[in-house]
Amino acid sequence: MAFKAGWLGQSAAKREAEVRAKPAPARPEAVAALGRLEPAGDIRVLAAPTSGMGATPRITAMEVVEGQRVLPGQLLARFDTAPTQLAQRNLLRARIANLRRRLDVESRELARYRQLTKVGAIAADELDRREQDHLLLQGQLQEAQAELVKEEADLDNTELRSPMAGTVLRINARVGERPGDKGILELGASDRMEAVVEVYESDIARVMPGMAVRLTSENGGFTGTLAGRVSRISPQVRQRQVLSTDPTGDADARIVEVRVQLDPADAQRVRQLTGLKVIARLAP
């Protein structure tokens, strides 16, 4: 019995020593990557309206500057089509008012002719002519009213108004120019800034939603660090866009875009820094 107890004691001690000697599982390493700051919503490129011939109007006034905060519905720009559209609208309004007056007179005359036809004072043919004239005026009034509705819609296109609250990121056309393919300006909802981090495809397996992220500026665009968390991982592998200052860096590397939602306080600090390059450290 003493031998058995000793053997069991030695076996337990040996197993305990083996457990202590077994190396602890390696702690996952942090992932480092380059990225850029962007508004959390999509950047809107606002374009000018096109005429029936496919041409764009010329800008006569630009009511905002780059970096300016705007509200929904705020006037951003005016176009040279406004005077013509205003004149056409006023012409249609005058025409509608005239047709309404004529229709009122014709309605009274038609009622009188109907009474005279009943007593045989005038022929039925004359009543038919009066009714046809009345219907013609009604049709002309309806057409003019429809044209006015279209003209009011066209008049709205003589101005560019903001579709949302945001910041004017870039103005692509100036007063006197006809906007091209780049549109008039770019608008971003920069109150909700985020970072787009380009993680190498070899590292993406170590990145998970909710992972904590620390961001620093590569070139001193802001002081200290920004805090955030991984909100979304793109399902597509793409070519790298944010390039390092290192000339030997691999510009053709394949990456996966990781969206990082910034803490509200930090998002406010950098809301005027859309496009700024950052260095991200994604901690496990």
Side-chain angles (χ1 to χ4, degrees):
M1 292 295 294
F3 171 78
K4 185 176 182 180
W7 181 82
L8 290 175
Q10 289 178 358
S11 297
K14 183 178 180 181
R15 288 196 299 270
E16 184 178 353
E18 289 177 351
V19 170
R20 285 199 299 265
K22 186 177 181 180
R27 183 179 179 182
E29 296 181 1
V31 176
L34 291 176
R36 63 188 181 277
L37 297 179
E38 282 188 1
D42 292 335
I43 298 175
R44 307 268 184 100
V45 179
L46 305 186
T50 56
S51 66
M53 301 299 292
T56 57
R58 184 177 289 106
I59 299 174
T60 56
M62 185 66 69
E63 304 294 339
V64 293
V65 296
E66 289 184 357
Q68 181 176 338
R69 296 279 303 143
V70 296
L71 298 174
Q74 183 173 334
L75 180 63
L76 305 177
R78 301 178 189 272
F79 306 117
D80 63 353
T81 51
T84 302
Q85 300 294 344
L86 282 170
Q88 184 67 19
R89 184 189 66 176
N90 293 337
L91 181 62
L92 283 170
R93 285 179 173 177
R95 181 184 173 192
I96 289 172
N98 183 46
L99 286 171
R100 281 173 174 166
R101 286 193 296 268
R102 290 177 58 189
L103 194 59
D104 287 342
V105 173
E106 285 289 335
S107 296
R108 291 193 297 269
E109 286 291 315
L110 182 60
R112 187 169 65 86
Y113 270 72
R114 284 171 178 165
Q115 291 296 328
L116 292 174
T117 303
K118 287 180 181 180
V119 298
I122 61 172
D125 291 345
E126 182 65 22
L127 177 61
D128 290 342
R129 187 181 66 81
R130 287 285 179 174
E131 287 181 340
Q132 289 176 1
D133 291 343
H134 188 266
L135 289 174
L136 180 62
L137 282 177
Q138 283 183 326
Q140 291 176 349
L141 177 60
Q142 291 172 353
E143 289 177 358
Q145 290 172 331
E147 290 180 13
L148 181 61
V149 172
K150 177 181 179 300
E151 201 60 40
E152 294 284 0
D154 291 341
L155 190 58
D156 289 340
N157 287 332
T158 64
E159 297 178 340
L160 178 66
R161 295 186 176 273
S162 176
M164 64 180 186
T167 301
V168 178
L169 304 177
R170 177 180 297 175
I171 294 178
N172 297 322
R174 306 292 174 176
V175 173
E177 296 179 347
R178 296 184 187 275
D181 296 338
K182 294 182 178 180
I184 297 174
L185 56 83
E186 297 176 14
L187 189 67
S190 57
D191 281 345
R192 296 180 293 112
M193 294 292 289
E194 68 178 6
V196 180
V197 179
E198 298 184 347
V199 178
Y200 286 118
E201 58 182 345
S202 58
D203 295 333
I204 195 62
R206 290 185 283 152
V207 178
M208 300 292 175
M211 182 179 288
V213 183
R214 291 286 175 179
L215 302 170
T216 57
S217 173
E218 185 179 38
N219 300 309
F222 58 85
T223 59
T225 62
L226 306 177
R229 290 192 175 275
V230 174
S231 59
R232 183 163 59 90
I233 301 173
S234 173
Q236 183 180 11
V237 179
R238 305 178 182 181
Q239 188 171 350
R240 184 178 180 184
Q241 292 184 357
V242 181
L243 301 181
S244 171
T245 54
D246 182 4
T248 63
D250 186 3
D252 296 326
R254 309 294 287 176
I255 56 89
V256 175
E257 285 190 349
V258 175
R259 298 267 172 176
V260 176
Q261 182 178 3
L262 299 182
D263 291 351
D266 287 338
Q268 287 295 318
R269 289 173 53 199
V270 295
R271 64 175 186 163
Q272 302 290 346
L273 299 177
T274 296
L276 184 74
K277 188 188 297 185
V278 294
I279 301 173
R281 181 179 175 84
L282 296 85

